[in-house]
Amino acid sequence: MLDWVLRGGTVVDGSGAPGFRAEVGIAGDRIAAIGDGLQGRQTLDCTGQVIAPGFIDTHSHSDLRILAEPTLPMKLLQGITLEVLGQDGISVAPVKPEERAASRQRLSGLLGDFGVAWDWSTVADYLGCLEAARPAQDVAYLAPHGALRQWVMGGGDREAGPQELAGLQQALRTALAEGACGLSTGLIYPPCCYADTAELIALGEVLAPGGEPFVVHLRSESDHLLDAAQEMVRVADQTGCAVHISHLKIAGAENWKHAESLLAIFEEAQARGRRITADQYPYAAGSTLLSAILPPWAHDGGLEPALSRLRDPRARAAMRQAMTASGSSDWDNFWRWTGPAGIVIADVPSGRHPEVVGRSLTEVAHRWSRDPVEAAFDLLLEENLGVAMISMSQDEPIVERFLTLPWASVGSDGLLGGRPHPRAFGSYPRILGRYVREKGILSLAQAVRKMTSEAARAFGFTDHGFLGQGLRANLVVFDPETVADRATFENPLQFAVGIREVMVGGELVVRGGEVTGARPGRVVRKNPVTKTPRAARKASE
């Protein structure tokens, strides 16, 4: 006897094939049967609904929020059942005990704070904390390049020498052995941005034999976009590793003309057998740390040297000159893309400046009676760089063009503090509502494939992403006629609608559109272990 039978719905299995009518049977945490006439202890009437594999968030920043709020309702109510943490090369582990406080402060603008105690050091420790938190959804973790670099050679602006390259490779091998599913880097963020191509190749050599993905925020998404794409193709060519491009986009109006040239670079490499994939969020605006407006040299050495430069009038003048100079920039210059009017403060985790959250830097400057550049510098200095922003720098037709790519999956890239980008609450229903039902850019089967099996293929998740017998019972049931995002830039803290049921490991974490509180999630490891020593300790306490 099956535990559950989902009856009366249309199965869209994640393969890209059209939907079909069938019943889905669940036994324990597995999909046990797909057919007709199934019998179970409990049934779900799915008449008029779509039954699909649970959605995979390939680019999540829930690294700390999930420890404080393990159900993450804003994600479950999008149908997300697996999140990939450790993004952009700047996450929480590994970290040396003596550097925890500085890392916590530096990352607060990106990941928030949420009162979580940083009592881990290694990737294994952090994954043990995730297990002990008992999240509602499954989670996986990428080893962050910046954290590895900080561990091996500190936060300085310099190339790695031969011994340091060997140390970075060994640190990556250790992280993978402890359960990381791949490597992430953010080549606009310190200290990742200080790495040269040779360092990226050295790391790719570690990834290639096991097939783990090299997940990359490109060195440029604007003025030097094509060079940045060629750099990662070179890494793939020389190492054979799989390269996955984070949040595929083009920033700055003068760069939008390069969309087809960018795609040609990647697709020519694919035609030569290179494993190149990408993910995308369905909005024409980005979100990241406000400190990203500063030129890379301003961050040399880490948090304290950066704050010292913000106190130095001569350094501030040099930063202003770099940010406001006309013409092409040799770094991703957020200020030049939009000016202060297009940069909106999304979060100040300290809570000291609620009056600036949700306001553009132009508005903040007016409120504070200061020049916009000086207002930004002052806010960063007072908050020890712990501020998040939204950047209105992209183009809706390019968003739509990239959505049609069969090799691009979906990631929310949602920051979860303050007044976040609406993608944190709405990405997946937005695709189903706006781009499938309303605009017809994707078919329903194509959209589900991008959110499920294509994401699983890119990251090597063999137990997720497809509705098939024997696989983990992560499922979403939604109404194709009503599913939609409600979060907006003006009011982002609004849950999506139309996601009726969500199952993780055969347990209902959403029922009738309401979060149940069940927490059956697990850590998805490249190298699975039954339980880490840390998790075992927590379970026995």
Side-chain angles (χ1 to χ4, degrees):
M1 178 73 72
L2 299 166
D3 295 316
W4 284 97
V5 173
L6 283 61
R7 183 169 288 140
T10 298
V11 173
V12 179
D13 64 12
S15 68
F20 57 93
R21 292 294 297 273
E23 297 173 353
V24 178
I26 309 297
D29 67 348
R30 300 283 118 186
I31 300 169
I34 302 170
D36 295 309
L38 305 180
Q39 298 298 313
R41 296 181 180 87
Q42 300 183 81
T43 63
L44 279 177
D45 182 2
C46 299
T47 302
Q49 307 291 300
V50 169
I51 306 169
F55 302 148
I56 298 173
D57 189 345
T58 59
H59 195 106
S60 170
H61 289 291
S62 305
D63 309 46
L64 295 177
R65 180 78 177 255
I66 199 167
L67 297 175
E69 187 180 9
T71 57
L72 288 184
M74 76 292 293
K75 296 300 188 73
L76 293 183
L77 292 172
Q78 293 184 63
I80 294 167
T81 61
L82 170 59
E83 295 205 273
V84 185
L85 313 176
Q87 300 288 344
D88 293 316
I90 46 174
S91 188
V92 299
V95 59
K96 294 178 179 178
E98 65 271 21
E99 295 178 350
R100 286 173 185 159
S103 293
R104 179 174 184 162
Q105 177 59 49
R106 181 169 51 86
L107 291 174
S108 64
L110 184 74
L111 302 179
D113 191 295
F114 310 113
V116 172
W118 283 48
D119 57 355
W120 56 80
S121 290
T122 66
V123 169
D125 288 342
Y126 174 66
L127 296 184
C129 287
L130 288 175
E131 287 179 323
R134 297 175 40 246
Q137 58 274 87
D138 294 341
V139 292
Y141 186 72
L142 294 164
H145 175 205
L148 300 180
R149 205 174 203 267
Q150 183 74 33
W151 183 280
V152 172
M153 55 185 292
D157 181 359
R158 59 188 178 85
E159 295 179 1
Q163 288 187 324
E164 290 167 331
L165 285 177
L168 285 167
Q169 289 180 314
Q170 184 54 50
L172 176 55
R173 290 188 190 98
T174 298
L176 295 172
E178 291 176 343
C181 67
L183 173 74
S184 78
T185 191
L187 294 174
I188 73 164
Y189 301 114
C192 306
C193 61
Y194 305 141
D196 60 9
T197 307
E199 182 174 323
L200 304 182
I201 289 170
L203 294 167
E205 289 171 350
V206 175
L207 297 167
E212 298 94 348
F214 197 151
V215 180
V216 183
H217 179 140
L218 291 172
R219 200 178 294 274
S220 173
E221 295 175 328
S222 60
D223 296 349
H224 301 280
L225 173 69
L226 302 184
D227 290 340
Q230 293 283 18
E231 178 181 39
M232 292 315 302
V233 168
R234 179 183 169 194
V235 172
D237 282 338
Q238 294 202 20
T239 69
C241 76
V243 170
H244 181 84
I245 308 301
S246 292
H247 40 61
L248 184 65
K249 62 178 178 288
I250 302 178
E254 64 271 33
N255 300 307
W256 295 342
K257 62 188 177 185
H258 298 308
E260 295 306 320
S261 297
L262 174 67
L263 298 185
I265 289 170
F266 292 135
E267 290 174 349
E268 188 275 334
Q270 291 166 349
R272 290 189 285 104
R274 300 297 173 234
R275 295 173 56 200
I276 309 286
T277 56
D279 59 50
Q280 177 190 10
Y281 50 78
Y283 298 85
S287 182
T288 189
L289 296 162
L290 180 62
S291 59
I293 68 172
L294 305 178
W297 57 260
H299 297 276
D300 183 13
L303 177 62
E304 287 305 322
L307 295 176
S308 179
R309 293 181 186 102
L310 285 168
R311 296 186 191 98
D312 180 353
R314 288 179 298 178
R316 285 171 76 121
M319 287 186 273
R320 171 192 285 271
Q321 173 62 30
M323 291 162 54
T324 60
S326 60
S328 176
S329 297
D330 61 2
W331 53 291
D332 267 10
N333 188 343
F334 286 81
W335 198 272
R336 195 171 64 79
W337 298 341
T338 67
I343 296 174
V344 177
I345 304 303
D347 189 24
V348 182
S350 73
R352 284 189 291 261
H353 284 293
E355 77 278 5
V356 307
V357 176
R359 298 186 181 277
S360 73
L361 280 175
T362 298
E363 294 172 312
V364 172
H366 178 74
R367 179 179 285 258
W368 287 0
S369 300
R370 296 177 208 173
D371 168 83
V373 174
E374 295 302 313
F377 289 169
D378 290 346
L379 181 60
L380 286 168
L381 178 58
E382 184 172 341
E383 295 301 321
N384 298 317
L385 305 189
V387 184
M389 70 172 177
I390 294 169
S391 173
M392 307 292 185
S393 59
Q394 298 172 50
D395 179 48
E396 176 67 16
I398 292 178
V399 171
E400 295 180 3
R401 170 69 178 100
F402 288 175
L403 276 173
T404 67
L405 300 172
W407 45 273
S409 53
V410 179
S412 72
D413 196 10
L415 313 188
L416 297 180
R419 288 171 57 89
H421 192 300
R423 66 194 185 191
F425 281 67
S427 291
Y428 292 73
R430 180 177 177 84
I431 288 177
L432 294 170
R434 177 178 174 84
Y435 295 106
V436 173
R437 185 177 63 244
E438 295 174 9
K439 304 193 80 169
I441 290 170
L442 297 168
S443 71
L444 180 59
Q446 289 171 330
V448 169
R449 177 187 166 276
K450 290 169 71 70
M451 299 178 188
T452 58
S453 67
E454 175 55 28
R457 180 183 76 88
F459 283 79
F461 298 137
T462 57
D463 204 22
H464 297 75
F466 185 71
L467 204 160
Q469 188 172 349
L471 299 182
R472 184 159 169 81
N474 287 8
L475 304 172
V476 57
V477 178
F478 64 89
D479 185 342
E481 298 302 319
T482 64
V483 63
D485 62 313
R486 296 194 303 164
T488 64
F489 287 100
E490 296 73 24
N491 188 5
L493 303 178
Q494 298 189 88
F495 294 125
V497 295
I499 303 292
R500 204 187 73 176
E501 271 85 33
V502 179
M503 274 189 168
V504 173
E507 293 190 40
L508 283 167
V509 294
V510 173
R511 185 165 194 175
E514 300 289 336
V515 175
T516 67
R519 289 154 60 183
R522 63 182 179 89
V523 174
V524 179
R525 287 177 167 84
K526 174 68 176 182
N527 297 286
V529 296
T530 55
K531 186 173 286 188
T532 66
R534 182 187 189 92
R537 289 199 309 271
K538 291 282 188 180
S540 65
E541 291 172 357

